């Protein structure tokens, strides 16, 4: 059974810093890995999706990498802003109709 | 184009009651999945429906059921509500069957069971 772990559980940094969020998974036989953002009490916004054949994806100030062999993915946020404050979730896909497996998320606070 | 929509936004029920939650997928998407997110946890997969048939089921009791309509919208039903069913229920749509398709989530329905 796939297990997804996110470290750290919470992070508070000053505005402008570059930061890295970590995601690890126990079963390397994933089809893709997706990063989401969740604002308090809201739904999930898809940020980046990395296919298993890819090493990384970029969107604006966000860069996500994937290393299947080590069971790790990282989300890099450059030049953080207060508007980046949210919970960031990673989720792995086994490819079948068994849904995504999520981590518990990293609660990020960017101090103005 | 509209994203995934869910109704109602919030719902308060008492133990033992039944509840129905609704979801409309993005236009052109034929697959709908349901997830339960308890406070402080990541979402847990409940069901995936594609072309009106259940294609995947998570580890949830039979009190949870769902269906998908010809227009690809979906309903999630929960019977005999327990306090532990209090959660944010999320609906996700995708183009095809299988979790390898990019999932797009709705705003969720917040269910409180008293």
């Amino acid at each position: 059974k796939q297990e997804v772990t996110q470290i750290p559980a919470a992070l508070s940094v000053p505005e402008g810093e570059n930061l890295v969020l970590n995601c690890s998974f126990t079963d390397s036989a994933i089809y893709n890995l997706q990063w989401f953002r969740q604002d308090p009490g809201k739904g999930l916004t898809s940020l980046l999706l990395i296919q298993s054949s890819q090493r990384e994806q970029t969107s604006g100030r966000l860069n996500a990498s994937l290393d299947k062999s080590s069971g790790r993915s990282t989300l890099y946020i450059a030049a953080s802003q207060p508007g980046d404050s949210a919970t960031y979730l990673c989720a792995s896909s086994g490819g079948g109709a068994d849904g995504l497996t999520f981590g518990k998320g990293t609660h990020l606070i960017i101090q103005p | 184009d509209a994203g995934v929509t869910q109704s109602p936004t919030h719902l308060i029920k008492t133990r033992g009651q039944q509840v129905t939650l609704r979801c409309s997928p993005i236009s052109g998407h034929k697959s709908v999945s349901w997830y339960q997110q308890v406070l402080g946890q990541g979402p847990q997969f409940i069901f995936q429906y594609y072309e009106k048939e259940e294609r995947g089921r998570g580890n949830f009791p039979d009190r949870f059921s769902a269906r998908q309509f010809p227009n690809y919208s979906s309903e999630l039903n929960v019977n005999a509500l327990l306090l532990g069913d209090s959660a944010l229920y999320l609906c996700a749509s995708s183009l095809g069957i299988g979790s390898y398709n990019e999932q797009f989530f709705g705003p969720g329905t917040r269910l409180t069971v008293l």
Side-chain angles (χ1 to χ4, degrees):
Chain A
K1 176 188 172 187
Q2 177 75 283
E3 292 183 4
V4 178
T5 303
Q6 291 189 246
I7 294 173
L11 183 63
S12 181
V13 300
E15 179 178 5
E17 283 200 5
N18 303 323
L19 52 98
V20 174
L21 307 182
N22 296 293
C23 171
S24 62
F25 43 94
T26 54
D27 185 351
S28 62
I30 63 170
Y31 201 92
N32 61 43
L33 190 129
Q34 202 165 348
W35 282 92
F36 295 90
R37 168 187 172 137
Q38 186 173 34
D39 292 291
K42 304 296 184 181
L44 307 181
T45 300
S46 179
L47 298 174
L48 290 165
L49 181 147
I50 313 175
Q51 301 291 353
S52 61
S53 58
Q54 298 175 316
R55 296 284 293 183
E56 64 178 73
Q57 280 282 2
T58 298
S59 176
R61 295 182 294 108
L62 305 179
N63 175 276
S65 67
L66 175 64
D67 184 345
K68 280 184 58 177
S69 62
S70 66
R72 293 180 182 179
S73 177
T74 61
L75 179 66
Y76 175 84
I77 303 176
S80 59
Q81 303 171 358
D84 295 330
S85 298
T87 295
Y88 290 81
L89 294 150
C90 69
S92 71
S93 161
D98 53 356
L100 298 173
T101 301
F102 283 86
K104 292 183 179 181
T106 293
H107 180 54
L108 176 65
I109 296 174
I110 307 298
Q111 307 155 9
Chain B
D1 284 340
V4 178
T5 60
Q6 292 186 243
S7 63
T9 304
H10 295 90
L11 207 50
I12 299 175
K13 293 286 188 178
T14 56
R15 283 177 296 175
Q17 285 189 313
Q18 175 265 340
V19 69
T20 298
L21 311 181
R22 296 175 177 82
C23 171
S24 292
I26 292 172
S27 178
H29 285 192
K30 297 183 178 181
S31 177
V32 169
S33 297
W34 287 95
Y35 291 80
Q36 180 196 65
Q37 186 179 25
V38 175
L39 196 62
Q41 303 292 315
Q44 296 286 319
F45 172 70
I46 309 175
F47 289 112
Q48 182 180 68
Y49 273 76
Y50 179 77
E51 292 286 9
K52 296 172 289 182
E53 290 189 11
E54 180 183 310
R55 302 300 184 118
R57 185 184 186 108
N59 188 23
F60 280 81
D62 292 343
R63 298 185 296 108
F64 289 76
S65 64
R67 56 179 176 169
Q68 187 177 32
F69 299 98
N71 66 354
Y72 304 110
S73 66
S74 177
E75 287 182 350
L76 175 70
N77 295 286
V78 187
N79 293 322
L81 286 167
L82 304 174
L83 295 179
D85 294 331
S86 295
L88 181 67
Y89 288 84
L90 296 163
C91 171
S93 78
S94 59
L95 281 170
I97 190 174
S99 59
Y100 57 81
N101 289 279
E102 188 170 6
Q103 308 286 306
F104 296 88
F105 283 79
T109 293
R110 171 71 62 187
L111 173 64
T112 301
V113 182
L114 302 177

